[in-house]
Amino acid sequence: MSKLIAFLLLVAGTIHLLPVVGVLGGERLNALYGLALDEPNLQILMRHRAVLFGLLGALLVAAAFVPTLRSAAMLAGLVSVLAFLLLAWSAPVYNEALRRVVVADWIALACLIPASLLHLRNH
């Protein structure tokens, strides 16, 4: 069971690490989200968002190898994914790039829910 939980956390962690390239600047952010993020203040906020995703992704990956981190990592991952999916669901429309993010978050959710249930069952 522990190896399956670790695998699921690695998948979710990798998904959360992908946006970290946005920290490199506006061109990367534009490619990630299909938006013209030319306003400097918005770029700062989005680059900071990339850093936060890096932290969450690193926590999820670390939790794959350090079982004592799993509860916190899974809770943080679930909150992040569910919040984004609810925000996307509440929006009337979004672009193709964000649709890919929604799909990725559904995959992350499909990993985090069984990982969390297996983790709870073992403890």
Side-chain angles (χ1 to χ4, degrees):
M1 283 302 157
S2 186
K3 287 184 181 182
L4 177 57
I5 294 170
F7 172 76
L8 294 169
L9 288 172
L10 285 172
V11 173
T14 301
I15 288 169
H16 281 85
L17 286 171
L18 293 174
V20 171
V21 297
V23 79
L24 299 175
E27 288 182 28
R28 298 290 181 149
L29 290 167
N30 293 347
L32 280 171
Y33 302 112
L35 301 169
L37 299 171
D38 298 327
E39 208 279 317
N41 295 298
L42 186 55
Q43 283 189 19
I44 291 168
L45 292 170
M46 293 300 289
R47 290 173 76 191
H48 182 255
R49 180 181 187 274
V51 171
L52 294 176
F53 272 112
L55 290 171
L56 179 55
L59 176 62
L60 287 163
V61 169
F65 302 102
V66 183
T68 57
L69 296 175
R70 289 181 178 173
S71 294
M74 288 185 229
L75 179 62
L78 284 167
V79 168
S80 173
V81 167
L82 288 171
F84 180 76
L85 289 173
L86 284 170
L87 289 169
W89 175 76
S90 71
V93 66
Y94 44 82
N95 68 19
E96 182 62 24
L98 282 182
R99 189 191 68 74
R100 288 191 301 268
V101 176
V102 168
V103 170
D105 272 23
W106 276 111
I107 294 168
L109 184 63
C111 291
L112 289 168
I113 288 175
S116 298
L117 293 173
L118 289 170
H119 178 69
L120 288 172
R121 191 174 123 203
N122 289 342
H123 290 87

